[in-house]
Amino acid sequence: MAMLHLVNKSPYDACNLDSASSMMKGDDALLLIEDAVYAAVKNGKAAAGLAGLKVTVLGPDLAARGIGEDKLIDGVTVVDYAGFVDMVEANDKVQSWL
Amino acid sequence: MSDTKKFMYVNRKAPYGTIYAWEALEVVLIGAAFEQDVSLAFMDDGVYQLMKGQDTAGIGMKNFSPTYSALGDYEITKIYVEKESLEERGLTLDDLQHLVWEDEDEDWAEKDSIRLVSRAELADVFADQDVMFNF
């Protein structure tokens, strides 16, 4: 029963991402949206917290914040809104860490 | 109002996720009309506000980042960016917009507005202010 974990808060301003990552299991997926996309920036302190996780970030939120895909840590997948919907569909449940 | 005061606007939030960054900019521009000695500081997630290359077409929000480059025209020439906040986020000054102002006293020479400071140096700058505005 895979779960999609949605995080939308900056990892430097709130502990939402830590809570999410600490409770992810097996095939669970993590989608970073809005201010949470900052977590996937290379050389940032928060990037270490994503190690070993299946991480996807929302492209339009990256672009809005001026973060090029070349600035992301390796192994991250970038999706658009249609990809967001596909992920919701592909998982059994969605947990939004508001 | 004959007395000029030192106004410091402290920006600590990322843009777009909340309305703070945009509201701060609005207040700064309104305040500029009162001819005070204005400084801006960007620390914590506030440093993200100055990222260059912001393109908000995909999220349906107004991209207000070009407005920062107009601050020089409002005689806002002291923009402090805190070094530790940048480093912690994997960023350098190169990731930020290049903000300048034109010095009337030196034949309109272009000068950098951004001053990269440590947290300790920024604390000293804060201590020297008359009024603090926090966003």
Side-chain angles (χ1 to χ4, degrees), chain B residues 2-23:
Chain B
S2 57
D3 282 1
T4 300
K5 287 187 174 172
K6 290 186 174 181
F7 280 21
M8 169 60 81
Y9 295 88
V10 184
N11 296 276
R12 296 183 48 252
K13 302 273 189 200
Y16 311 118
T18 66
I19 199 69
Y20 286 93
W22 189 353
E23 290 289 326

Side-chain angles (χ1 to χ4, degrees), chain B residues 50-118:
Chain B
L50 300 178
M51 291 280 283
K52 62 184 170 196
Q54 296 178 34
D55 176 2
T56 59
I59 63 167
M61 293 176 77
K62 181 186 163 75
N63 177 5
F64 54 86
S65 69
T67 313
Y68 295 105
S69 61
L71 292 173
D73 299 333
Y74 289 87
E75 295 180 7
I76 296 168
T77 63
K78 296 185 288 286
I79 298 177
Y80 297 91
V81 174
E82 200 232 5
K83 197 163 164 272
E84 288 91 328
S85 296
L86 276 183
E87 284 171 356
E88 188 182 41
R89 287 163 180 75
L91 305 175
T92 67
L93 265 192
D94 286 342
D95 295 307
L96 306 185
Q97 297 188 52
H98 182 213
L99 302 180
V100 296
W101 62 286
E102 293 175 344
D103 191 345
E104 192 179 348
D105 300 328
E106 288 185 28
D107 199 23
W108 306 100
E110 258 192 9
K111 296 185 174 179
D112 285 346
S113 303
I114 290 183
R115 305 170 185 205
L116 189 63
V117 292
S118 68

Side-chain angles (χ1 to χ4, degrees), chain A:
Chain A
M1 292 292 279
M3 200 186 297
L4 171 63
H5 297 259
L6 271 180
V7 178
N8 76 337
K9 299 289 190 299
S10 164
Y12 299 100
D13 197 40
C15 63
N16 306 46
L17 179 58
D18 291 334
S19 296
S21 60
S22 68
M23 295 186 75
M24 285 178 67
K25 288 178 177 296
D27 290 331
D28 285 3
L30 175 66
L31 176 58
L32 305 175
I33 64 172
E34 299 170 22
D35 288 346
V37 301
Y38 294 122
V41 174
K42 221 183 319 196
N43 300 325
K45 263 191 185 169
L50 298 176
L53 301 176
K54 197 158 69 183
V55 182
T56 306
V57 297
L58 192 59
D61 283 330
L62 281 178
R65 290 161 179 77
I67 305 167
E69 291 187 26
D70 57 315
K71 289 213 164 295
L72 301 180
I73 50 175
D74 292 335
V76 167
T77 308
V78 178
V79 295
D80 57 11
Y81 289 108
F84 186 161
V85 175
D86 289 343
M87 288 185 78
V88 171
E89 201 180 32
N91 286 275
D92 302 299
K93 294 186 288 265
V94 178
Q95 160 76 354
S96 265
W97 295 88
L98 294 177

